[in-house]
Amino acid sequence: MAQSAATQPVTDAPSSTGTVHSSHPEQSYGGFTRFELELEFVQALANPYYLNHLASQKLLQDPAFIAYLKYLRYFQQPEYTKYLFYPGPTLNALELLQQERFRQEILSPDIVAHLAEQTLLSSIKAK
C-alpha cells in the first residue's frame, strides 16, 4: 500500500546542523519546503481557537487528518523541537490531539478558554 505524501517521512527537513538533507531535489510548495509548511502548521496547533476551528470543520474526525497529526509527532524529537517558537504549548496540543476524547471536547468554549488561559500563563512564565 503506497503512502500519501502527508504520511511519508520528511526527507527535506533540516538536520541538527541546519542544513537540508534530501535524497531528491527539494520540492517547493508555493515557494516553501514541505518542512516549512509543516512547521508553520504544527505551531498553529498551540492556538486553542484554531483547534476549535479545526474541530468545527470536522477535520478532527477525518481519519486521514488524524493520521497526519500522528505523523507530525516527529516534532517531538529534539532535532525538530528546536525550530518551534513555543515548544511546550505546541507539543502539548499535538499530544492532546492524539486522543479522541480531546478531539471531541475541543468544541466546547469552556475547554477552549481553559486552554487559552493555560497557554497564556505558560508563555508569561517562559519570559
Side-chain angles (χ1 to χ4, degrees):
M1 184 169 150
Q3 290 182 321
S4 71
T7 59
Q8 292 176 352
V10 173
T11 57
D12 60 351
S15 70
S16 58
T17 61
T19 59
V20 174
H21 296 283
S22 179
S23 58
H24 56 67
E26 188 172 314
Q27 289 185 315
S28 177
Y29 302 91
F32 299 96
T33 65
R34 179 174 164 181
F35 176 76
E36 290 170 321
L37 294 173
E38 289 175 351
L39 176 63
E40 184 168 346
F41 175 73
V42 81
Q43 291 185 116
L45 299 178
N47 181 337
Y49 298 100
Y50 183 58
L51 297 180
N52 177 267
H53 171 74
L54 293 175
S56 71
Q57 299 301 307
K58 306 212 184 297
L59 283 169
L60 300 183
Q61 298 172 8
D62 180 351
F65 192 78
I66 294 167
Y68 182 62
L69 292 171
K70 184 176 181 179
Y71 156 78
L72 289 173
R73 292 172 82 186
Y74 75 85
F75 278 99
Q76 295 172 331
Q77 299 171 23
E79 63 264 31
Y80 300 109
T81 300
K82 70 181 182 181
Y83 293 101
L84 300 173
F85 286 115
Y86 301 102
T90 301
L91 296 176
N92 183 52
L94 188 57
E95 199 55 38
L96 287 171
L97 286 165
Q98 306 305 313
Q99 303 169 25
E100 183 178 353
R101 181 175 174 189
F102 177 78
R103 292 192 304 267
Q104 295 168 357
E105 289 180 347
I106 194 62
L107 282 166
S108 164
D110 292 337
I111 298 292
V112 173
H114 178 72
L115 281 175
E117 183 179 325
Q118 283 184 326
T119 301
L120 178 63
L121 291 175
S122 69
S123 67
I124 291 171
K125 289 178 185 177
K127 291 184 179 189

